[in-house]
Amino acid sequence: MVKTIEWTDAGVVMIDQRILPTEETYITCKDYLEVADAIQTMVIRGAPAIGVAAAMGFAIGVEKAADENLDAQVEEISKVLAATRPTAVNLFWAIERMKRLYALLRTEGAELPALRQRLIDEAKEVLRDDIEINKAMGRHGAALLPHGATVMTHCNAGALATGGYGTALGVIRAAIESGNPVAVMANETRPFMQGARLTVWELQQDSIPVTLLTDNMAGHTLRSGKVGAVVVGADRIAGNGDVANKIGTYSVAVLAKENNVPFYVAAPISTLDMSLTSGDKIPIEQRASEEVTHIRGQQIAPTGTQVINPAFDVTPNKYVTAIITEKGVARAPFVDSLKELAQS
Ligand code: MRU
């Protein structure tokens, strides 16, 4: 399976997701500013993957920082990493995890070389944990898929969006590993084309059957009766089960309900934001207009076209059949089931 992100002696290595699938190129981030830039420009993307990147960015930032005024530099590193993308809560979760450990080590009076090494080890553990979490999530989710079902997904919630294995695509992988020959329908996911470019590519790498459709074909396809379930990932889930995910997810969820197709969300507990009582409070990232007016540098709309480009939308909990986590499956009422899972 593809390696999305890795800690090496030369720096933090990431596969460049802006240019897949035509080129498989890796970039090496040598300091935290390069990691922050990679997150912002979507070299790496997907909620759990940017959490891992933020943890590694923190670790490399402290590794390269001068000994003097270290606390102030750590504040700056955290601030810069946190300012990269606003919606996926995993980013903030990972920075908090690293900051907590840093504070603990400082309180204990750790020597700086040991402190730096502990932070590097912790960032590597964030990556290892993520893969294990995805596998556990996959096992819970696989049990929900009918035998031989065609499963629609939106965006890329696969190995590329995580430390490895994937959340929504982890459910697919686990189903296949358990002997259920499911197949995938991948929505292309305008404007960044995560579905067409990334989901199709990574499934092909693993010889998992996948069919590509443009986003506006989702309703027709769900109505055809050929889709057994929809499984998507999430960037942030509010305490009431409202789900922020890639723009277009909401339309797919409404169309799934209309056509009696179950709509599942697969996400780790770190994607839950129990501080928010509803999805209305989730910040939605607005991205550059060129992502809409151009496709891979090719202009497709008249010069000066006015554009909106919200990168995410919020699916109200009434459209969500279940939320699959590494700790089990939550169903309505989500206020209770998510709280129970988060505290277990
Ligand atoms: O803008 P992106 O590509 O970072 O958005 C990614 C998504 O919306 C994914 O569906 C989500 O992060 C879940 S990834 C396991």
Side-chain angles (χ1 to χ4, degrees):
M1 200 186 314
V2 59
K3 267 202 181 125
T4 307
I5 180 166
E6 198 180 4
W7 181 278
T8 72
D9 291 344
V12 182
V13 176
M14 304 171 188
I15 190 166
D16 191 341
Q17 301 195 31
R18 297 168 304 182
I19 48 180
L20 278 171
T22 38
E23 276 175 53
E24 189 178 333
T25 308
Y26 292 80
I27 69 153
T28 304
C29 300
K30 295 195 164 52
D31 58 38
Y32 83 91
L33 290 172
E34 288 184 7
V35 173
D37 188 62
I39 297 171
Q40 196 152 38
T41 59
M42 295 183 50
V43 169
I44 189 159
R45 32 64 51 200
I50 63 177
V52 176
M56 291 190 174
F58 188 103
I60 205 168
V62 177
E63 186 190 30
K64 300 280 165 78
D67 289 357
E68 298 74 40
N69 296 323
L70 191 55
D71 291 352
Q73 291 177 80
V74 164
E75 273 315 305
E76 180 63 15
I77 292 164
S78 306
K79 210 171 85 193
V80 169
L81 289 168
T84 50
R85 296 193 71 191
T87 304
V89 75
N90 310 59
L91 178 83
F92 309 100
W93 169 89
I95 295 169
E96 275 316 306
R97 175 166 162 171
M98 298 300 286
K99 275 176 89 171
R100 257 199 320 275
L101 177 61
Y102 173 81
L104 179 73
L105 293 167
R106 286 299 252 181
T107 314
E108 287 173 351
E111 298 287 338
L112 292 187
L115 175 144
R116 291 188 166 100
Q117 189 54 51
R118 268 296 282 117
L119 291 170
I120 293 169
D121 292 345
E122 185 76 1
K124 288 181 180 171
E125 202 170 304
V126 172
L127 171 61
R128 275 195 307 273
D129 284 356
D130 187 56
I131 298 170
E132 287 315 307
I133 283 169
N134 291 336
K135 289 187 173 165
M137 199 186 306
R139 286 190 291 274
H140 290 300
L144 301 171
L145 299 183
H147 190 81
T150 293
V151 180
M152 180 178 282
T153 192
H154 192 75
C155 193
N156 170 265
L160 287 166
T162 61
Y165 202 72
T167 56
L169 298 191
V171 170
I172 305 284
R173 286 193 168 91
I176 290 174
E177 283 162 19
S178 74
N180 182 354
V182 295
V184 176
M185 282 268 177
N187 297 341
E188 70 171 346
T189 321
R190 274 278 284 150
F192 200 69
M193 304 291 195
Q194 289 94 332
R197 297 191 302 104
L198 308 177
T199 294
V200 174
W201 182 78
E202 76 161 81
L203 291 177
Q204 282 180 350
Q205 301 291 304
D206 286 352
S207 305
I208 296 174
V210 53
T211 303
L212 176 64
L213 60 158
T214 63
D215 299 332
N216 52 359
M217 297 171 190
H220 169 81
T221 309
L222 286 162
R223 192 157 181 252
S224 73
K226 290 184 185 140
V227 177
V230 177
V231 186
V232 298
D235 290 85
R236 197 186 292 224
I237 301 175
N240 69 344
D242 290 351
V243 174
N245 191 47
K246 180 51 53 193
I247 192 74
T249 303
Y250 171 42
S251 323
V252 175
V254 174
L255 289 161
K257 190 173 175 82
E258 171 71 16
N259 291 286
N260 297 315
V261 177
F263 180 87
Y264 298 116
V265 176
I269 294 289
S270 57
T271 301
L272 297 184
D273 186 347
M274 300 303 283
S275 73
L276 299 184
T277 50
S278 119
D280 296 344
K281 304 201 169 78
I282 298 175
I284 300 294
E285 177 182 12
Q286 303 289 327
R287 292 190 62 87
S289 55
E290 289 72 31
E291 287 183 359
V292 177
T293 56
H294 292 64
I295 295 181
R296 303 198 110 181
Q298 173 79 45
Q299 187 170 339
I300 56 156
T303 304
T305 301
Q306 203 169 310
V307 161
I308 57 161
N309 188 11
F312 301 95
D313 59 28
V314 173
T315 298
N317 58 24
K318 67 175 176 181
Y319 296 107
V320 178
T321 309
I323 297 174
I324 304 157
T325 75
E326 71 273 28
K327 290 186 177 174
V329 176
R331 292 182 186 269
F334 290 108
V335 179
D336 301 327
S337 58
L338 289 178
K339 197 186 285 170
E340 205 173 298
L341 283 182
Q343 288 168 356
S344 66

